Every structure is written in C-alpha cells, then in structure tokens.
Amino acid sequence: MRHYKLLATIILACCCQMAFAQQPPSYSQRDSIKVVELLATAKQLQPDDNLILHFARQLLDIPYVAKTLEKYPKERLIVNLTQLDCTTYVENVMALALCVKNKKTTFADFCRYLRLIRYRNGVVSYVNRLHYFTQWIEDNTHLGYVKEVDEPNPPFIQEQTLAIDYMSTHVGQYPMLVKNPEWVDEIAKMEDELNGRKYAYIPKEEIQNNELFWDTIHDGDIIAITTNKKGLDISHIGFAVWHLGGLHMLNASQVRKKVVEEPMTLYEYMQKHPSQTGIRIIRPNILPGET
C-alpha cells in the first residue's frame, strides 16, 4: 500500500510540473528581482524570528488593487508584487516564508510555492484556483502549510455553517466566468462540496486584550474575517500582530488603498464593518515553535 501511495504522489507531482511547464508564470523582471531581494533579507534574521511578520512588513505600502489575477483569457500563475489585494498579499508572504523555512532561494522556488498555495493540487486553472478562503484553508492544511485553530472555548464560542454560492449566483462580477460560462457548473459543484461544513469562530464583540487571547492568537496567524453577507464565508484576511494596546491586523486594505499595519485595534476595526461577524484563526506552520 505504501508503494501505491508513493507512486500516486509521484504521478501527481509530475502532472503538476507538466501543467506548470505548459503555463509559464507571468511576471516582470522587477517582480523576479524583488522576490530574490526579499529572500535575501532573511539572512539577517535569527532562527526564532517571525518569518511571517518579517515578510508581511517588507510589503508595507504596496498599493491595493483588486482582480490582479484576472489578466489573461487562459489562467496563468501571476506574480505581481507591485499591486496586492488581501488574498494575494497573504499568498505572497506565505510563499516567501516557505522558501526561507525550506532553504530555497530562487525565484523558481518562490513560484512553485505560490502555485501550490493558490491552486488546488498546484494545477493552474481558473476552476482550480482556491477562490473561497475556506477552500484555501483546507487545501493548504492538506499540504501541511497551515492549520486552523478552533479552541479553546471560550473564545471560540460561535459556529459558522457554510452556505456559499456567491460566485455561481453573481457570475456578472467575475469576468472569467462571463467569458467561460461552462465553468459555472464546476464552481457550483465546488461550492456544494463545502456547504454544510461547520467552523468555530470568535465573535467580534468578544475580541479582547487579555492573557486568554494572547495565548490563543499568535503574531503571524492569519485572521479570516467571517461575514453575514449571503453566499460568502470570509470577507477579508490579514495577519495578526499584537501591540501594547491590543490585537491589530497587517493587511492589504481596500479602504486605505495599500498594505498597512492597521492603526486601529482589530476590535475597533470590526465595529466599523457591520457585515463582519467574527474571526477564524489560521496558523502558518512557519511561526516560531511550529513544525
């Protein structure tokens, strides 16, 4: 049985490599140089330094731009470190940190991790892109890159039951689906696979600055903000960072139009967004003390 599993893994890896070779990444020379320079900055870090926060802060002030992946008629891996949204920000930081953790130093290494992080089984296609963040969490958990934190209770006192259909019922908001309506059924099937699943979350009213929360949420955790907007699971993501005054978030902010270390506490920030209901916590297996 072990040999069959090994063979299946090898076949999948070969298929992913073939798909990648057939669809070379899209990037500028500026992006490739920036990636190598960013990886080089990690040489100054100590073994117990927080790689996630290091790279998250290296990308501060980059402009917020939505839909940067909707560029080609046929899906390609896009590397763009001059324009970021909340998801591409998290993905690029994760890919940089994984490179350093695994002693990889080239742009090709970075592209490989970004592809695996962004696409189901690492196969580059629109329907394989991990559009819903719950799907992203599950795929990256399977790869061993992250794990969801769902205890203790409290503060994880509420449960989110997925009922997602936003993409398949709002096709007009997705240019690639408008151009390729045959993909809508595949997207709907993916939504159905997720629906009914339950996840523990912390209600936004319960977010506090105390020992329980310091122990529960770590610097560099991914904060996934839950929403009551019909058809969606998560409305925004960023990285947790503790200040003396409480929990804050590093994020590509549509409001501030750039990557920022939000000056408001997360509690204050979420009170200004009525549709935001709480937070799920996703821990990269890259943080100090994580294996």
Side-chain angles (χ1 to χ4, degrees), residues 20-86:
F20 190 46
Q22 293 167 1
Q23 299 173 324
S26 168
Y27 62 92
S28 68
Q29 185 180 39
R30 179 181 177 184
D31 287 316
S32 61
I33 292 172
K34 186 175 181 67
V35 166
V36 174
E37 290 176 344
L38 285 167
L39 293 175
T41 66
K43 294 177 181 177
Q44 66 189 352
L45 300 177
Q46 300 301 313
D48 59 347
D49 283 341
N50 192 309
L51 286 173
I52 294 292
L53 289 191
H54 171 74
F55 287 119
R57 285 171 169 154
Q58 292 289 316
L59 301 181
L60 285 171
D61 295 324
I62 291 177
Y64 176 96
V65 178
K67 298 186 184 298
T68 58
L69 304 185
E70 316 299 317
K71 187 176 179 181
Y72 297 103
K74 186 175 183 180
E75 186 87 356
R76 293 174 65 181
L77 177 69
I78 292 178
V79 180
N80 183 349
L81 290 175
T82 60
Q83 300 170 321
L84 296 169
D85 62 27
C86 67

Side-chain angles (χ1 to χ4, degrees), residues 111-135:
C111 289
R112 174 179 174 272
Y113 282 121
L114 187 61
R115 173 172 54 83
L116 290 168
I117 289 166
R118 183 173 291 166
Y119 295 97
R120 180 186 290 182
N121 296 326
V123 178
V124 178
S125 73
Y126 184 82
V127 296
N128 278 330
R129 197 196 307 169
L130 302 168
H131 296 279
Y132 289 96
F133 199 64
T134 295
Q135 186 189 25

